[in-house]
């Protein structure tokens, strides 16, 4: 079996290489204008969009594993430029269903003959995806939904995961060091994620856990799994029909309050992420429906995320900082989460945050939306050394998708207001104020201690200065190599002057001896060329800063 998987992986590697060859050539030319020599070239927004379209078509052609990879990449603005994120965001996990005979073989391998396992079974799937498809059946007189893993998907996924690992060294050649770190993490996590999504026993476990977390909440309903008709490759659960959450006309016909519905959806996700630490990670409208009495139905828990307590606390701090328009608080939270380097230019990032918040804000200061802020900030993430942990990137994407659904339900929906009310009700803002008060108290105590320690130290320093016995050690930071460049230019200038004078003297003494003149002039010419090159600005793959107010306005109008 291992040999067959390896052989399939070798073949898939060739197929993948063939699909991505045009992009490989394009990226190679970016670094070297003529592939083997020459300077780099500027990459425009139009070129990135065109390449993102090519990448999208290649991922669709390569099938289930790469469709899932594209969906995951669409949540990682720390790896791809915003143009790619926008194009890959349209990637739908919707493929033609597998033949019934093949799905039936999977069912019977897990549960025995279909006629014995179920009272009746409709062989036409009601939904199909890259990893599985859903059928409707009857079990013990009740309608049930039966999710069946796509036949043969395991071997294909394992072969493709090998191909992705083999391709990593090649991909590293085209991205920077910080993005290489993120890409390696993504590759490691992708294998874990897609295997979890294929494991229906794991999905059932997540479903039950979230169901228990909301046992006392009557604003949502989660289908009940049926363990005796479920296994690793088959998940049978309660069948819950409803109205699609984005079917506005149908919701209005049923008299459902859409503002209340949007508020409930937002509060549910806040509880999942901030309180419970496990969340449904695929909240697109196809996975959300509404009962006739206004409760939200959640489908498909295959894609889920977990948030550890530390990140939960930081997310709360982030929400509060955004609500308070506290730019320093936002930056501090990003640094503490490890997504932003402590050495980042805070002034530049602060300008980005301020402009994003100001541009997203309406006339009423509370009427801006987190999704707009995320879009503006994500457009700059590719320009800065950010590293997003997988689940944190998933949280950001989920927040954006949920807010989009809420705005569809109610165009005036105020995401920040709902989040602020929730955090206040749960006591998080009170805790935040208490922490600030405690921090101020500690700072006051340290200041008082310093009042006693500083004067004696200052007196000693002044005494040494008065005796001409004060020594200062200065450490000069030159991260950009400015001093090195100046030193090279100075040396080149000296050699150029010496070579030029020598050449002129030789020519004046013996103008007919061109060989001697050439021997002296040639090295001088080389030095002149080196000096000229040292003043040239390096060219290569360039990006345009995304954080001017005019750019933000233009992006919004587009």
């Amino acid at each position: 079996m291992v040999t067959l998987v390896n052989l399939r992986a070798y073949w898939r590697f060739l197929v993948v290489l063939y699909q991505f060859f045009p992009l490989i050539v394009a990226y190679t030319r970016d670094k070297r204008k003529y592939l083997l020599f020459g300077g780099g070239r500027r990459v425009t927004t139009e070129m990135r969009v065109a390449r993102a379209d090519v990448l999208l078509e290649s991922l669709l052609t390569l099938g289930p594993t790469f469709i899932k990879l594209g969906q995951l990449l669409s949540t990682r603005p720390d790896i791809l430029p915003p143009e790619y994120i926008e194009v890959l965001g349209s990637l739908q996990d919707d493929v033609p269903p597998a033949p019934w005979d093949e799905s039936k073989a999977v069912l019977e391998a897990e549960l025995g003959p279909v006629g014995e396992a179920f009272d009746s079974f409709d062989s036409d799937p009601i939904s199909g995806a890259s990893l599985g498809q859903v059928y409707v059946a009857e079990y013990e007189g009740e309608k049930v939904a039966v999710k069946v893993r796509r036949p043969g998907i395991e071997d294909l996924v394992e072969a493709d995961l090998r191909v992705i690992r083999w391709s990593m060294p090649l991909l590293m050649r085209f991205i920077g060091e910080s993005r290489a770190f993120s890409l390696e993490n993504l590759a490691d996590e992708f294998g874990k994620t897609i295997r979890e999504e294929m494991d229906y026993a794991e999905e059932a476990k997540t479903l039950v856990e979230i169901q228990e977390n909301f046992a006392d909440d009557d604003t949502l309903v989660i289908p009940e799994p049926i363990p005796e008709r479920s296994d690793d490759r088959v998940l049978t659960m309660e069948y819950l029909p409803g109205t699609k959450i984005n079917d506005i006309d149908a919701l209005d016909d049923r008299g459902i309050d859409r503002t209340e519905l949007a508020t409930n959806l937002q509060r549910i996700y806040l509880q999942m992420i901030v309180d419970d630490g496990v969340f449904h990670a695929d909240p697109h409208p196809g996975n959300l429906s509404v009962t006739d009495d206004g409760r939200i139905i959640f489908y498909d828990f295959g894609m889920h995320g977990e948030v550890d307590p530390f990140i939960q606390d930081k997310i709360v701090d982030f929400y509060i900082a955004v609500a308070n328009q506290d730019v320093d608080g936002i930056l501090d939270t990003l640094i503490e989460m490890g997504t932003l380097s402590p050495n980042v230019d805070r002034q530049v990032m602060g300008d980005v945050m301020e402009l994003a918040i100001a541009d997203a804000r309406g006339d009423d200061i509370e009427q801006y939306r987190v999704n707009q802020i995320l879009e503006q900030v994500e457009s700059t993430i590719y320009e800065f050394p950010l590293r997003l942990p997988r689940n944190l990137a998933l949280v950001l994407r989920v927040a954006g998708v949920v807010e989009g659904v809420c705005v569809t339900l109610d165009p005036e929906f105020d995401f920040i207001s709902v989040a602020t009310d929730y955090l206040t009700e749960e006591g998080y803002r009170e805790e935040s104020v208490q922490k600030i008060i405690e921090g101020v108290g500690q700072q006051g105590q340290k200041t008082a201690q310093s009042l006693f320690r500083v004067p004696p130290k200052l007196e000693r320093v002044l005494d040494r200065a008065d005796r001409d016995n004060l020594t200062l050690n200065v450490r000069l930071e030159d991260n950009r190599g400015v001093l090195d460049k100046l030193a090279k230019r100075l040396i080149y200038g000296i050699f150029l002057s010496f070579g030029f004078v020598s050449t002129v003297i030789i020519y004046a003494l013996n103008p007919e001896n061109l060989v001697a003149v050439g021997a002296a002039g040639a090295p001088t010419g080389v030095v002149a060329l080196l000096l000229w090159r040292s003043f040239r600005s390096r060219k290569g793959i360039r990006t345009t800063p995304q954080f001017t107010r005019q750019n933000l306005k233009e992006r919004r109008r587009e």
Side-chain angles (χ1 to χ4, degrees):
M1 179 61 72
V2 175
T3 303
L4 289 176
V5 172
N6 283 333
L7 289 175
R8 187 170 192 174
Y10 293 138
W11 170 248
R12 288 288 288 176
F13 183 78
L14 296 176
V15 172
V16 171
L17 187 63
Y18 173 78
Q19 282 293 329
F20 289 138
F21 186 73
L23 289 175
I24 292 172
V25 172
Y27 294 143
T28 304
R29 287 197 62 200
D30 291 343
K31 290 184 174 293
R32 293 292 179 187
K33 190 177 293 184
Y34 304 105
L35 292 183
L36 299 178
F37 59 91
R41 64 176 177 180
R42 183 184 297 273
V43 180
T44 65
T45 298
E46 291 75 16
M47 292 168 66
R48 281 184 177 156
V49 172
R51 292 177 185 179
D53 288 332
V54 173
L55 177 61
L56 177 64
E57 290 300 320
S58 297
L59 293 172
L60 289 170
T61 301
L62 290 170
T65 311
F66 288 89
I67 290 174
K68 286 292 180 185
L69 179 61
Q71 290 176 326
L72 186 57
L73 284 170
S74 73
T75 70
R76 300 302 299 267
D78 58 323
I79 295 176
L80 292 177
E83 295 86 354
Y84 285 75
I85 297 297
E86 184 174 352
V87 171
L88 293 182
S90 65
L91 192 59
Q92 297 297 313
D93 190 14
D94 186 12
V95 297
W100 164 242
D101 289 342
E102 296 179 9
S103 296
K104 182 181 179 182
V106 175
L107 267 169
E108 294 189 337
E110 298 296 322
L111 306 179
V114 174
E116 296 179 9
F118 299 94
D119 301 338
S120 64
F121 201 101
D122 188 346
S123 60
D124 293 325
I126 59 173
S127 70
S130 57
L131 302 180
Q133 47 208 40
V134 181
Y135 299 86
V136 174
E138 279 195 16
Y139 175 68
E140 294 186 347
E142 298 290 338
K143 250 186 174 183
V144 293
V146 185
K147 188 175 180 181
V148 183
R149 191 189 297 175
R150 185 172 283 270
I153 192 66
E154 301 93 334
D155 292 343
L156 177 62
V157 167
E158 290 301 326
D160 285 343
L161 290 177
R162 280 180 170 81
V163 171
I164 292 170
R165 285 198 299 271
W166 295 341
S167 304
M168 288 300 296
L170 180 63
L171 295 175
M172 297 300 181
R173 295 178 59 86
F174 301 106
I175 58 178
E177 182 179 348
S178 63
R179 275 171 277 281
F181 174 87
S182 294
L183 188 60
E184 275 190 303
N185 281 351
L186 178 136
D188 293 339
E189 292 292 341
F190 177 62
K192 176 184 175 183
T193 300
I194 197 168
R195 289 188 182 103
E196 283 182 354
E197 196 166 345
M198 288 193 301
D199 185 352
Y200 291 167
E202 178 68 22
E203 179 176 347
K205 178 182 174 183
T206 303
L207 187 153
V208 170
E209 182 177 356
I210 295 179
Q211 194 176 54
E212 291 174 350
N213 291 337
F214 288 89
D216 299 326
D217 193 328
D218 60 358
T219 63
L220 80 162
V221 57
I222 295 173
E224 192 76 36
I226 302 172
E228 62 270 22
R229 289 295 178 266
S230 301
D231 210 320
D232 292 348
R233 297 194 294 170
V234 178
L235 175 59
T236 303
M237 61 198 125
E238 179 184 7
Y239 178 71
L240 292 175
T243 304
K244 267 195 172 184
I245 199 166
N246 62 344
D247 191 345
I248 303 302
D249 294 336
L251 294 175
D252 289 341
D253 290 342
R254 287 166 172 75
I256 294 173
D257 186 333
R258 289 189 276 116
T259 300
E260 182 180 352
L261 194 64
T263 302
N264 289 340
L265 179 63
Q266 180 56 39
R267 293 177 68 91
I268 288 167
Y269 267 96
L270 283 169
Q271 179 181 326
M272 286 183 187
I273 294 170
V274 173
D275 289 331
D276 301 333
V278 57
F279 60 95
H280 177 272
D282 198 12
H284 67 78
N287 285 337
L288 300 171
S289 290
V290 183
T291 64
D292 290 342
D293 59 355
R295 293 184 298 165
I296 301 171
I297 307 171
F298 284 80
Y299 305 119
D300 194 356
F301 288 79
M303 186 180 292
H304 61 273
E306 296 179 358
V307 190
D308 63 62
F310 174 76
I311 295 296
Q312 284 179 303
D313 290 342
K314 295 299 109 183
I315 290 173
V316 171
D317 292 343
F318 179 80
Y319 276 135
I320 293 174
V322 170
N324 295 336
Q325 301 175 61
D326 179 5
V327 172
D328 285 332
I330 294 174
L331 295 180
D332 289 341
T333 302
L334 292 175
I335 291 171
E336 289 169 7
M337 284 192 289
T339 62
L340 188 64
S341 169
N343 300 321
V344 74
D345 188 332
R346 289 181 68 99
Q347 181 62 46
V348 174
M349 283 301 294
D351 290 343
V352 172
M353 298 296 177
E354 285 181 356
L355 287 175
I357 293 174
D359 188 62
R361 191 176 64 216
D363 294 333
D364 185 343
I365 201 170
E366 293 294 332
Q367 292 300 314
Y368 60 87
R369 302 186 179 101
V370 162
N371 191 49
Q372 291 173 299
I373 296 173
L374 290 177
E375 287 178 1
Q376 304 288 15
V377 174
E378 282 180 359
S379 70
T380 67
I381 281 180
Y382 191 71
E383 314 295 334
F384 295 96
L386 291 183
R387 298 174 174 180
L388 292 182
R390 178 182 67 89
N391 279 333
L392 185 56
L394 207 53
V395 168
L396 289 174
R397 179 57 56 186
V398 164
V401 175
V402 169
E403 199 266 345
V405 174
C406 292
V407 171
T408 300
L409 292 168
D410 176 10
E412 301 300 321
F413 181 73
D414 189 347
F415 184 97
I416 293 297
S417 176
V418 173
T420 302
D421 289 346
Y422 178 85
L423 295 175
T424 302
E425 291 170 15
E426 297 298 317
Y428 289 110
R429 299 197 79 184
E430 185 179 339
E431 289 178 10
S432 178
V433 171
Q434 184 64 32
K435 288 179 182 177
I436 293 174
I437 294 173
E438 291 175 359
V440 170
Q442 292 173 359
Q443 186 62 42
Q445 185 178 7
K446 291 179 181 178
T447 302
Q449 292 173 353
S450 297
L451 290 175
F452 291 97
R453 291 198 302 263
V454 170
K457 293 181 180 180
L458 181 60
E459 186 177 1
R460 287 197 298 271
V461 171
L462 293 175
D463 286 343
R464 295 184 66 179
D466 187 54
R467 295 195 304 269
D468 295 330
N469 192 29
L470 182 64
T471 303
L472 296 178
N473 294 322
V474 180
R475 180 180 178 184
L476 184 61
E477 294 286 348
D478 186 24
N479 295 328
R480 297 186 178 182
V482 175
L483 294 179
D484 184 54
K485 289 180 182 178
L486 289 176
K488 285 183 179 179
R489 291 170 184 172
L490 180 61
I491 293 170
Y492 289 153
I494 293 172
F495 276 111
L496 179 63
S497 300
F498 178 78
F500 179 76
V501 172
S502 300
T503 303
V504 171
I505 292 173
I506 292 173
Y507 179 76
L509 294 176
N510 193 359
E512 296 179 356
N513 191 349
L514 298 180
V515 174
V517 173
T524 303
V526 172
V527 173
L529 178 63
L530 292 173
L531 181 61
W532 174 72
R533 284 178 62 87
S534 72
F535 282 96
R536 289 188 65 197
S537 59
R538 296 183 63 185
K539 295 182 179 180
I541 301 176
R542 298 181 180 179
T543 52
T544 303
Q546 306 284 331
F547 45 81
T548 65
R549 184 180 295 274
Q550 183 62 32
N551 283 347
L552 293 181
K553 294 292 184 184
E554 289 174 359
R555 286 175 61 84
R556 289 289 302 279
R557 284 197 294 269
E558 292 173 0

